[in-house]
Amino acid sequence: MTAVTGPAASAVDLLLLGRSSDPGSERGVSCPGELPAASSPDLVDRARAAKQALGEQLFVLGHHYQRDEVIEFADVTGDSFKLARDAAGRPGARYIVFCGVHFMAESADILTGADQQVILPDLAAGCSMADMAGIGQVEDAWDELVDAGVADGTVPVTYMNSTAAIKAFTGEHGGTVCTSSNAERALRWAFEQGERVLFMPDQHLGRNTAVLKLGLDLSDCVVYDPHKPGGGLTAAQLRAARMVLWRGHCSVHGRFSVSSVNEVRARIPDVNVLVHPECRHDVVTAADAVGSTEMIIATLDAAPSGSAWAVGTELNLVRRLAGAHPDKRIVFLDKSVCYCSTMNRIDLPHLVWALESLQAGAVVGRIQVDEQVARWARVGLDRMLALPG
Ligand code: SF4
């Protein structure tokens, strides 16, 4: 599977891609079925009825960034890694309906049995960050490291938010997958195996972890731009670097800025600014705390009544957290609306369509990872699971 090689797609691009065919991307395929109308008044009842009819055969996973109307039907919620593990822990479920994005459904398919089928209710629900690292681009980057004479001492570390093909490349080249919760452990392990890390595809998670957790200097990090010849780096720069960061980012978390932090501090006295490590380095250093989605949830659960929080992560989650903690003031860090446009593609009409199709015996939106790719990707995932605690 190859990925888009152009510059980062805008939210409008992603919405348009969902309506047409885009064989160069993991996302951007049209929905082949007849969706119920979004205005249909019986959607909730239909989803309930289909779920009940499918019973134990069905397991519905809901990522924290999904819409409320979808989360309502999730058997479990979580971040991408927790959900993949939850899927693996339900060998009795014949159908795993993954309400999230494409790379998450791929990981679930890799970690579940051959007799289980993973379904993404809208195949156009991709991830712009995952699309920023195509396998051909990564292989070219590795060739640059070989030419610079440093591939042997370089360990690839890839974030969960990547295609199965990139995870497989990582497994095959002695590296590990990581999440935002265990990126520090993954990097410490990688630096025991080699002297340099190729971190993909999120430059911000790589930089924030290397500098703030491992104590590396910003000057130890270089950015490899797949759209420039040689990644825009000289062989000498590759040799001198300890962290070679892929030029990728999350289009949601990348929007937060230091001015958002300053503005909320001026507006809300004693506010605590809590951000995700996919945010830019200057935003993370201006914040009071940084952590994964699960850490953000745990921090707000444990926060004292009356405390004030400005949270820099996806808006669906922040709104749900604000609703769950009426005794605390929880606001979104940015002034403008900041949903993940591809996560939001999974809505109630798509969920109803997927569930009713299953009820009628038709599997729609199945995600199936090539066997060879899955084998190596699993090596990368297993290395992550074996990381020292
Ligand atoms: S929030 Fe960012 S990383 Fe997550 S699916 Fe959306 S674009 Fe990808």
Side-chain angles (χ1 to χ4, degrees):
M1 193 178 294
T2 53
V4 165
T5 52
S10 69
V12 173
D13 293 336
L14 295 177
L15 287 170
L16 292 175
L17 277 167
R19 298 198 187 110
S20 59
S21 174
D22 178 18
S25 167
E26 65 156 7
R27 56 179 157 72
V29 278
S30 60
C31 177
E34 280 296 315
L35 290 181
S39 56
S40 207
D42 58 350
L43 286 179
V44 169
D45 290 342
R46 284 169 66 177
R48 268 198 205 120
K51 225 184 142 197
Q52 198 174 7
L54 288 159
E56 291 296 305
Q57 295 185 87
L58 174 72
F59 191 41
V60 181
L61 305 168
H63 189 273
H64 288 309
Y65 299 169
Q66 289 285 297
R67 299 162 180 259
D68 289 351
E69 68 192 40
V70 169
I71 288 291
E72 187 184 337
F73 292 98
D75 294 308
V76 288
T77 58
D79 65 8
S80 57
F81 181 60
K82 176 183 178 291
L83 291 180
R85 291 188 88 162
D86 286 344
R90 282 295 287 261
R94 192 166 157 206
Y95 305 121
I96 310 279
V97 172
F98 208 124
C99 299
V101 293
H102 194 280
F103 75 81
M104 300 175 185
E106 281 188 332
S107 296
D109 183 55
I110 291 164
L111 294 172
T112 49
D115 56 339
Q116 293 178 287
Q117 302 189 56
V118 176
I119 290 132
L120 186 64
D122 184 351
L123 287 175
C127 163
S128 53
M129 180 200 286
D131 278 343
M132 289 175 195
I135 184 62
Q137 295 172 322
V138 170
E139 285 165 352
D140 288 348
W142 196 258
D143 287 346
E144 298 292 343
L145 291 163
V146 171
D147 291 346
V150 294
D152 280 349
T154 302
V155 181
V157 176
T158 193
Y159 191 22
M160 277 293 275
N161 303 18
S162 58
T163 63
I166 307 299
K167 291 187 181 78
F169 176 94
T170 303
E172 200 171 357
H173 289 79
T176 183
V177 177
C178 77
T179 67
S180 52
S181 308
N182 64 19
E184 178 183 351
R185 274 186 281 144
L187 282 190
R188 290 194 188 283
W189 171 87
F191 280 117
E192 284 165 14
Q193 321 303 311
E195 63 219 21
R196 180 180 306 91
V197 166
L198 170 62
F199 193 92
M200 302 171 287
D202 183 14
Q203 60 167 305
H204 301 304
L205 177 64
R207 183 182 295 107
N208 288 330
T209 310
V211 173
L212 301 175
K213 304 286 187 187
L214 270 69
L216 268 67
D217 198 84
L218 278 175
S219 62
D220 293 321
C221 307
V222 293
V223 177
Y224 182 96
D225 184 345
H227 305 295
K228 289 187 178 164
L233 297 168
T234 63
Q237 285 175 309
L238 286 174
R239 279 187 215 112
R242 307 231 30 230
M243 288 288 289
V244 180
L245 303 168
W246 193 264
R247 191 166 189 272
H249 66 274
C250 166
S251 42
V252 174
H253 293 98
R255 288 172 61 114
F256 298 112
S257 64
V258 173
S259 57
S260 327
V261 177
N262 294 338
E263 187 278 329
V264 83
R265 287 200 197 284
R267 190 160 51 89
I268 306 176
D270 298 328
V271 71
N272 299 283
V273 179
L274 175 58
V275 300
H276 193 279
E278 288 173 19
C279 293
R280 295 198 309 249
H281 187 65
D282 56 354
V283 174
V284 167
T285 50
D288 299 301
V290 56
S292 65
T293 306
E294 296 291 346
M295 179 273 197
I296 289 172
I297 294 169
T299 302
L300 294 177
D301 285 349
S305 211
S307 56
W309 297 85
V311 186
T313 190
E314 209 269 349
L315 185 52
N316 275 313
L317 174 62
V318 178
R319 282 173 49 173
R320 259 197 302 279
L321 286 168
H325 298 289
D327 59 322
K328 303 162 198 175
R329 184 169 181 192
I330 297 173
V331 301
F332 188 58
L333 177 56
D334 203 68
K335 271 186 179 160
S336 56
V337 172
C338 197
Y339 291 109
C340 173
S341 58
T342 48
M343 279 275 183
N344 260 8
R345 293 199 65 87
I346 312 283
D347 55 12
L348 198 46
H350 280 92
L351 183 61
V352 167
W353 171 66
L355 295 180
E356 289 184 345
S357 299
L358 288 176
Q359 199 184 347
V363 177
V364 293
R366 183 168 181 197
I367 301 296
Q368 214 171 355
V369 178
D370 170 86
E371 224 173 272
Q372 180 76 355
V373 170
R375 188 168 74 82
W376 280 112
R378 195 166 180 134
V379 171
L381 286 163
D382 284 345
R383 282 204 191 103
M384 172 175 76
L385 295 173
L387 286 174

